Amino acid sequence: VRGILRHCPVAQAVRLQAAGRAPTARHGVVGFVSSSSGVLPDKGGDIGMQQLEEFRKVLAQSIASQTFVKATLSLNKGDDKTLTNVYMRLVSLKGGVSLQVKLRHKTNDVTKNFGVEQADDVLRDLLLGGFRQAYLFTSTGDWQLKLGKKPWLQRVGKGPTFETATVEKHDRAKTVPVKKDALFLQLLGITNEQGEPRPGKSDKLKQIQQFVSVVNRAVEDSGLGRELRLDNKMSHGTRALRLVDMGCGKGYLTFAAHCHLSDVCGLRVRTQGVEVRQQLVDDTNEWSQQLDIAPAGDVDGHEVDETGLSFVQGYISEALARIPGTAGPTDVLVALHACDTATDDAIRAGISAGARVIIVAPCCHKELR
């Protein structure tokens, strides 16, 4: 028993700990904390604790002097083989400035926020956890730390990579397909002059944003966007995308799709809204005129421009066949929440017209058995 204990690495580590010494790799066991130093050695033994401590001091000084820009860690030799890099930066949150740590795995990123006072501990745990290389960028200079059998810490470069240290805002402005200050949103009563949604219109604004995203992706995935841009480039703008919105109501989504495809995507677009209620048709045509996006016409009322947005009165079952202005090829057909069997009529009309994209959502108020 004595012989076994004499050569047992665990027993050796226990004796070393009792003596106030930290076991190293040559003792066969790691992970015990020395009562005197409080330093956790890594699997590689003495990987460069002196350099690591100096690097921690430089990091702490840069944060205290507000010269810290960012830090990156690489060469992970730890147990988690999916973790490849770590990126650290300062961000401004509602509660103040925090340290944001992004853990980059092979298939995903995990982001965590810590208090600035925890930066030293976070860095230490990550390096002792297996990372063997670290870069620290400050507005006064850049530092590189290398841990391992031949550890070193040095200042790199002739000058700092970043001359100013800034704290980024964590809550960045979201990119949306329809800007909140769009004129048609104000005209249709969705937003006010400041671009904020009016009372009770927040859900409608979200619906508009989501719908436009669906239309944009469908047009691009179908190849229509690329083909039209190429055709217009070769033939000097003679081809227009034709979009028909059946059962469009007040035209919230019709205006949104037309303005996005023409203003943001840069396409020539001819959009037609079909609605059975004449009053809504009159209102939407008036709004189109006010926004100066209605098709140009001659003195006899005939269209002289293939682009623009207009609305006609009629039933979906008659569209693309008997309703004036909707005859001809259709690229995109939309029918959202058309009552009863109107959705089926819209699908049939879209197929008959050779539509490349058909976007429909059946009505929930009627049930077809």
Side-chain angles (χ1 to χ4, degrees):
V1 172
R2 291 194 188 94
I4 293 175
L5 291 177
R6 186 178 300 111
H7 299 285
C8 175
V10 175
Q12 293 181 25
V14 172
R15 289 196 298 271
L16 288 169
Q17 186 184 25
R21 297 167 54 195
T24 62
R26 67 184 181 85
H27 297 113
V29 173
V30 297
F32 288 96
V33 179
S34 168
S35 59
S36 59
S37 64
V39 174
L40 271 171
D42 192 75
K43 293 182 179 179
D46 186 8
I47 57 173
M49 299 307 301
Q50 180 180 354
Q51 289 83 358
L52 190 150
E53 293 301 318
E54 291 297 325
F55 189 76
R56 290 171 58 190
K57 291 180 181 179
V58 176
L59 172 70
Q61 292 173 357
S62 67
I63 293 178
S65 61
Q66 298 183 353
T67 60
F68 174 83
V69 179
K70 66 177 182 178
T72 63
L73 279 63
S74 59
L75 299 180
N76 182 24
K77 303 297 182 181
D79 295 332
D80 188 354
K81 302 304 181 183
T82 67
L83 183 58
T84 58
N85 299 91
V86 174
Y87 304 98
M88 305 169 64
R89 62 172 186 154
L90 297 180
V91 295
S92 178
L93 304 177
K94 292 182 179 180
V97 178
S98 297
L99 176 72
Q100 185 179 87
V101 179
K102 180 183 291 186
L103 307 173
R104 173 147 297 173
H105 294 262
K106 291 182 179 179
T107 58
N108 67 301
D109 292 345
V110 178
T111 302
K112 299 181 179 180
N113 295 322
F114 300 90
V116 176
E117 69 281 358
Q118 297 177 278
D120 180 53
D121 293 334
V122 171
L123 176 69
R124 175 179 178 273
D125 292 344
L126 287 169
L127 290 173
L128 292 178
F131 283 95
R132 291 294 177 262
Q133 183 168 262
Y135 283 92
L136 172 63
F137 298 91
T138 74
S139 59
T140 58
D142 302 338
W143 297 81
Q144 182 182 8
L145 170 68
K146 188 69 177 292
L147 301 178
K149 294 182 180 180
K150 297 181 179 180
W152 47 268
L153 171 65
Q154 66 178 8
R155 192 165 182 168
V156 295
K158 296 181 179 180
T161 302
F162 305 94
E163 296 182 354
T164 58
T166 58
V167 178
E168 299 184 25
K169 291 185 178 181
H170 179 62
D171 299 324
R172 298 177 181 176
K174 295 182 179 180
T175 302
V176 292
V178 180
K179 294 183 179 180
K180 292 183 179 180
D181 59 353
L183 292 179
F184 79 89
L185 291 177
Q186 299 180 25
L187 187 60
L188 273 61
I190 302 298
T191 60
N192 56 25
E193 295 180 355
Q194 288 72 40
E196 299 297 328
R198 293 185 181 276
K201 296 298 183 180
S202 295
D203 290 341
K204 176 60 68 174
L205 182 59
K206 291 179 181 179
Q207 181 191 29
I208 290 173
Q209 300 287 9
Q210 293 172 354
F211 171 74
V212 171
S213 296
V214 170
V215 172
N216 180 79
R217 177 172 295 182
V219 169
E220 295 302 332
D221 289 349
S222 67
L224 277 170
R226 180 179 57 83
E227 291 176 13
L228 288 170
R229 294 187 188 96
L230 180 61
D231 182 79
N232 291 338
K233 181 178 180 180
M234 300 298 294
S235 57
H236 306 288
T238 60
R239 171 81 162 91
L241 181 145
R242 289 184 59 85
L243 185 150
V244 177
D245 186 2
M246 297 185 169
C248 59
K250 290 185 177 180
Y252 296 130
L253 304 182
T254 323
F255 277 93
H258 178 84
C259 292
H260 177 78
L261 292 173
S262 58
D263 298 341
V264 179
C265 297
L267 301 176
R268 288 169 52 82
V269 185
R270 176 66 176 97
T271 304
Q272 187 84 56
V274 179
E275 172 57 42
V276 69
R277 291 164 288 185
Q278 185 62 53
Q279 184 59 53
L280 290 180
V281 172
D282 295 338
D283 292 341
T284 49
N285 276 322
E286 182 180 349
W287 296 333
S288 181
Q289 293 282 353
Q290 293 180 26
L291 292 170
D292 196 26
I293 56 176
D298 57 20
V299 293
D300 296 325
H302 299 96
E303 293 184 10
V304 296
D305 190 359
E306 291 185 357
T307 63
L309 169 62
S310 63
F311 299 82
V312 294
Q313 190 276 333
Y315 288 91
I316 289 178
S317 58
E318 304 172 347
L320 303 181
R322 297 173 53 190
I323 300 176
T326 60
T330 298
D331 297 306
V332 181
L333 183 138
V334 178
L336 303 185
H337 307 298
C339 284
D340 206 355
T341 60
T343 298
D344 302 272
D345 295 333
I347 295 174
R348 181 178 60 184
I351 295 175
S352 300
R356 294 270 290 274
V357 175
I358 300 178
I359 303 174
V360 295
C363 178
C364 58
H365 299 294
K366 293 281 188 177
E367 183 177 358
L368 180 65
R369 294 177 182 266

